[in-house]
Amino acid sequence: MSLSRRFGGVAHPYRTAIALVLLIIISTSSSGVFASATVEPHYTHCCLPRGAGHGPIPTSISGITDEYEIVIVNNRNVSMTGVVVYFPAGFAFVNASVGGGGWVTTILRDQSGIPAAVSWNGSRILPGANATFMLTLHNPTVGLQLSGVYDFLVAQLYVNALPDGSRDPVEIIQPIRLFGIDSSALAFDSIAIVFVLIALQLVLPRRKL
Amino acid sequence: MPHGAPELVAYGILVLFSAFLIVHWMRRATRPASVTEPVGRELTGDLTAFDKVQRLFHWATTVVLILVHSAFPSWVLVHVIFSGLLAGLLVVHVTWDVGKLRAFHRMWPRLQDARDALLRGKNFLSIAKQYPRMSKYDLFMKNFHIYLIISFAVLAVTGIYQYLYAPWWTVIWFLHYQIEPAWRPTVIHDIFGFSLIALLIGHVYFAFLKINWPLLKAMTFGKISRDEANRRYRPDELE
């Protein structure tokens, strides 16, 4: 049976079991207990300030394909040998990549064969160092006015040490951009133009608009 | 900012409406509207278009509406108090204009208003050169007035419900929708509220256009001059 088959036959059962235990620990613990990983959507980098939704957390947009930058910092004094990122249900996997060499990317699937996590193994993050992993995901569609907060679970595996983990929330909100510009800015700019035009007619000679 | 409706919808209403006003301004800057309809009965003196109660109501409503919006959402109670004041002003308005002046029919759209609006639309699009004389209230103004009645009623019902039963501002943001009933008063409140803001901006825009200054002066001082009335208006429909 196996867990390894279920998860694509790549991860060792021992490691997968550890990861699952870790998943339970992380998902039942409060966010911020472990703080050596961050998950940040590209949309927050390029287009929206962090926390552009309702809370002080990274934000992305409903229904778009976005790149998620996962920064892992090794705060321990032993080397980190693997990273597993479980993305929330509703997110569709598109692609995974990593900047540094030596990492082997493995897609882990759930029972129905849908990608549920990505693991990176085969290289090391030395104590005090960090590494950046990229996940391209298609965001879930949130309701008409109901935004959603989703937790990414990030597990970090070490040599001869207990694994670490973190729970990193991302808020998915409705689109807020019109013609590539923030809709509120566009609205207020449009209104400003209207009032400027009203003022401008005062200097237009003999014109009765 | 909206708290129920998607930002794209709420701000989109403002963007679309402002875009229309900008297009209107550009069009009328290059081709001003010139009245071609001959005057029927000429006025021999200045005319009182708005009495003191009407003017006082109009400007008091302006102030209260500004305060209603500027007070929200930080001061919900202040928002509610000014909304109550607005309701009081509306009672005075209805009592005076409908009860005392018997002026309800003036705000009801007629076939002539539709004809005028059609001709003005054609003139705007360069399909027709004719341009009608203006009444005190045209089709747009009358429809704006009807929207105000509907809007105030909807905003009052949804606002009161939120205040009493679904006060989302008292809970942490991600719990908003757990106290929101299925008929979504917050969404309705937002959409009608933003539509109202868009229409009020349109109202201010048209009021401040030079062509409408006589009516703006009349709303301030009460009277419209004989010359202005004979030049652009149907004097019979100014009273």
Side-chain angles (χ1 to χ4, degrees):
Chain A
M1 123 124 210
S2 88
L3 289 167
S4 61
R5 196 180 312 141
R6 274 190 198 157
F7 284 101
V10 177
H12 189 280
Y14 165 72
R15 284 186 166 226
T16 309
I18 289 177
L20 281 176
V21 170
L22 195 66
L23 177 68
I24 294 166
I25 295 169
I26 294 166
S27 60
T28 53
S29 66
S30 59
S31 178
V33 171
F34 311 100
S36 53
T38 58
V39 176
E40 193 105 12
H42 177 68
Y43 210 83
T44 299
H45 290 314
C46 80
C47 313
L48 295 176
R50 185 181 174 89
H54 295 93
I57 56 176
T59 306
S60 190
I61 299 296
S62 167
I64 69 164
T65 299
D66 201 359
E67 279 194 324
Y68 288 78
E69 184 181 286
I70 296 127
V71 179
I72 306 289
V73 181
N74 186 356
N75 289 327
R76 292 199 177 177
N77 53 8
V78 290
S79 293
M80 193 185 297
T81 56
V83 174
V84 186
V85 178
Y86 298 85
F87 41 87
F91 285 77
F93 174 79
V94 177
N95 193 28
S97 62
V98 58
W103 291 103
V104 176
T105 305
T106 307
I107 300 159
L108 308 178
R109 297 173 188 274
D110 65 11
Q111 279 183 310
S112 54
I114 297 170
V118 172
S119 77
W120 284 279
N121 296 289
S123 188
R124 286 169 186 260
I125 305 173
L126 297 175
N130 61 65
T132 301
F133 304 91
M134 300 299 292
L135 262 182
T136 307
L137 301 172
H138 188 77
N139 291 341
T141 304
V142 296
L144 180 65
Q145 24 69 44
L146 185 60
S147 63
V149 176
Y150 297 86
D151 283 335
F152 283 71
L153 308 178
V154 182
Q156 297 136 51
L157 310 175
Y158 298 90
V159 178
N160 300 326
L162 284 173
D164 245 358
S166 65
R167 195 170 63 170
D168 296 277
V170 170
E171 187 181 6
I172 303 297
I173 61 174
Q174 280 283 316
I176 58 169
R177 299 175 79 75
L178 280 168
F179 314 117
I181 307 170
D182 182 88
S183 61
S184 61
L186 192 61
F188 291 122
D189 289 348
S190 307
I191 293 167
I193 291 170
V194 169
F195 282 98
V196 167
L197 292 178
I198 290 172
L200 196 59
Q201 63 163 341
L202 298 174
V203 297
L204 283 179
R206 293 182 192 179
R207 287 278 186 189
K208 288 220 168 186
L209 293 172
Chain B
M1 72 179 284
H3 295 268
E7 287 195 14
L8 205 64
V9 174
Y11 289 125
I13 291 169
L14 297 181
V15 171
L16 287 177
F17 211 82
S18 300
F20 165 73
L21 298 179
I22 292 166
V23 169
H24 181 272
W25 192 95
M26 298 294 179
R27 181 74 185 112
R28 286 308 182 201
T30 54
R31 183 177 170 168
S34 303
V35 171
T36 56
E37 182 184 318
V39 65
R41 176 180 68 88
E42 284 202 22
L43 280 182
T44 53
D46 294 351
L47 184 82
T48 300
F50 302 104
D51 66 21
K52 277 183 184 171
V53 176
Q54 289 173 311
R55 283 179 278 146
L56 193 64
F57 163 75
H58 181 269
W59 295 114
T61 304
T62 305
V63 172
V64 170
L65 271 175
I66 291 168
L67 292 171
V68 161
H69 286 102
S70 61
F72 194 79
S74 307
W75 300 70
V76 173
L77 185 61
V78 176
H79 179 75
V80 171
I81 289 170
F82 280 117
S83 300
L85 264 177
L86 185 62
L89 282 170
L90 290 175
V91 170
V92 172
H93 172 62
V94 171
T95 307
W96 186 258
D97 279 56
V98 178
K100 172 86 176 170
L101 301 179
R102 307 278 174 197
F104 180 74
H105 65 281
R106 284 184 200 157
M107 296 311 295
W108 200 248
R110 300 170 306 155
L111 197 58
Q112 181 63 45
D113 299 321
R115 284 197 203 104
D116 289 347
L118 190 64
L119 189 56
R120 286 166 68 181
K122 285 181 175 175
N123 182 279
F124 185 80
L125 298 170
S126 298
I127 299 169
K129 288 187 176 174
Q130 295 87 357
Y131 195 88
R133 284 184 170 270
M134 289 191 283
S135 303
K136 188 173 177 181
Y137 304 113
D138 61 14
L139 186 72
F140 304 109
M141 194 63 202
K142 287 177 180 177
N143 282 336
F144 172 61
H145 188 261
I146 289 172
Y147 175 79
L148 286 181
I149 297 169
I150 296 168
S151 172
F152 284 150
V154 171
L155 288 170
V157 170
T158 53
I160 290 168
Y161 188 92
Q162 285 178 80
Y163 191 71
L164 295 179
Y165 303 111
W168 51 261
W169 54 92
T170 61
V171 299
I172 198 160
W173 64 268
F174 56 82
L175 294 177
H176 287 184
Y177 297 104
Q178 292 189 15
I179 61 168
E180 177 87 344
W183 60 283
R184 304 293 188 214
T186 311
V187 178
I188 298 170
H189 200 80
D190 273 350
I191 291 175
F192 273 82
F194 272 78
S195 301
L196 179 62
I197 293 170
L199 287 167
L200 288 173
I201 291 165
H203 182 66
V204 171
Y205 167 80
F206 284 109
F208 277 91
L209 284 185
K210 271 185 185 172
I211 198 171
N212 291 323
W213 280 9
L215 275 182
L216 183 63
K217 282 181 198 164
M219 187 50 88
T220 310
F221 302 109
K223 287 186 183 298
I224 188 166
S225 74
R226 181 191 63 184
D227 292 343
E228 281 292 350
N230 289 334
R231 189 177 304 141
R232 304 196 59 88
Y233 295 91
R234 293 189 186 116
D236 290 340
E237 296 177 17
L238 273 175
E239 295 174 60

